[in-house]
Amino acid sequence: GAVVSQHPSRVICKSGTSVKIECRSLDFQATTMFWYRQFPKQSLMLMATSNEGSKATYEQGVEKDKFLINHASLTLSTLTVTSAHPEDSSFYICSVQRAGMDTEAFFGQGTRLTVV
Amino acid sequence: QKEVEQNSGPLSVPEGAIASLNCTYSDRGSQSFFWYRQYSGKSPELIMSIYSNGDKEDGRFTAQLNKASQYVSLLIRDSQPSDSATYLCAVRGGGNKLTFGTGTQLKVEL
């Protein structure tokens, strides 16, 4: 069965509005979750690491005030794209992995965001 | 400079043939290596993981790792049309972060 549940799978929003994406770890408690973005025909780019009970760690070039991450519990992380613009249209994917180095990452179903 | 490199393809192989996918990485301290398959419009799914030098086999898939050469590969035997997808190589370095290659598009032709 699925290890990670992400929704919505697809969302269309107007420019200037905000969109919230949820990522749930179904199989185990996850103190850390990861958020990726993927543009067409490109690879996954890590946006930020979501840490339960503390601030997220953002990768260089990712605006923390635009991409708000909340990791309020051990099984739920949310990514909010604020004041969305057409250039934010992309495929957003979350992942979780068990503690330890030799563990696989499991991915959510992904969210296709289209900003019109 | 890219940290994980893959040939973007497309790599075309006939049905039943062996598909060979390659990946090189720049961080010598990397310890964990993964191959993911991604169908168009879908999120990646794990195919293989490998942590030590040598070969690791799972069904039709074999992952090969050579840390001295900083090289990891994936062989798919008896390729099927359903194997047609983009294959992403991922490497885990410090901070438990995964770095992905750009992926190789595989097309298995009837």
Side-chain angles (χ1 to χ4, degrees), chain A residues 19-87:
Chain A
V19 173
K20 180 185 284 189
I21 303 169
E22 290 191 350
C23 179
R24 292 183 183 275
S25 177
L26 303 177
D27 204 35
F28 53 88
Q29 294 181 329
T31 55
T32 303
M33 295 186 184
F34 301 89
W35 287 97
Y36 294 85
R37 180 169 53 182
Q38 186 178 36
F39 291 107
K41 298 194 182 299
Q42 294 187 24
S43 191
L44 278 73
M45 296 300 295
L46 180 65
M47 298 176 65
T49 302
S50 174
N51 304 300
E52 189 270 336
S54 65
K55 292 182 180 180
T57 306
Y58 290 82
E59 295 301 301
Q60 192 173 7
V62 178
E63 301 174 57
K64 61 180 182 180
D65 294 330
K66 180 170 183 62
F67 299 99
L68 301 180
I69 291 174
N70 185 288
H71 194 149
S73 77
L74 288 170
T75 58
L76 175 63
S77 175
T78 61
L79 168 68
T80 301
V81 182
T82 64
S83 186
H85 290 285
E87 57 265 31

Side-chain angles (χ1 to χ4, degrees), chain B residues 5-80:
Chain B
E5 297 229 24
Q6 295 180 255
N7 188 321
S8 62
L11 171 66
S12 293
V13 299
E15 184 178 5
I18 296 175
S20 177
L21 305 164
N22 304 313
C23 171
T24 58
Y25 59 95
S26 60
D27 183 1
R28 257 190 198 283
S30 300
Q31 295 295 321
S32 309
F33 307 87
F34 307 90
W35 283 99
Y36 287 87
R37 177 175 63 197
Q38 186 176 27
Y39 293 111
S40 180
K42 303 294 185 182
S43 65
E45 55 179 322
L46 182 70
I47 298 295
M48 292 282 288
S49 60
I50 187 165
Y51 308 108
S52 55
N53 281 327
D55 295 0
K56 179 181 178 182
E57 186 175 319
D58 183 2
R60 296 187 296 115
F61 301 95
T62 299
Q64 300 173 317
L65 174 61
N66 184 325
K67 290 186 178 181
S69 299
Q70 295 173 244
Y71 174 93
V72 58
S73 67
L74 179 70
L75 299 177
I76 306 175
R77 289 180 297 281
D78 188 24
S79 296
Q80 301 297 309

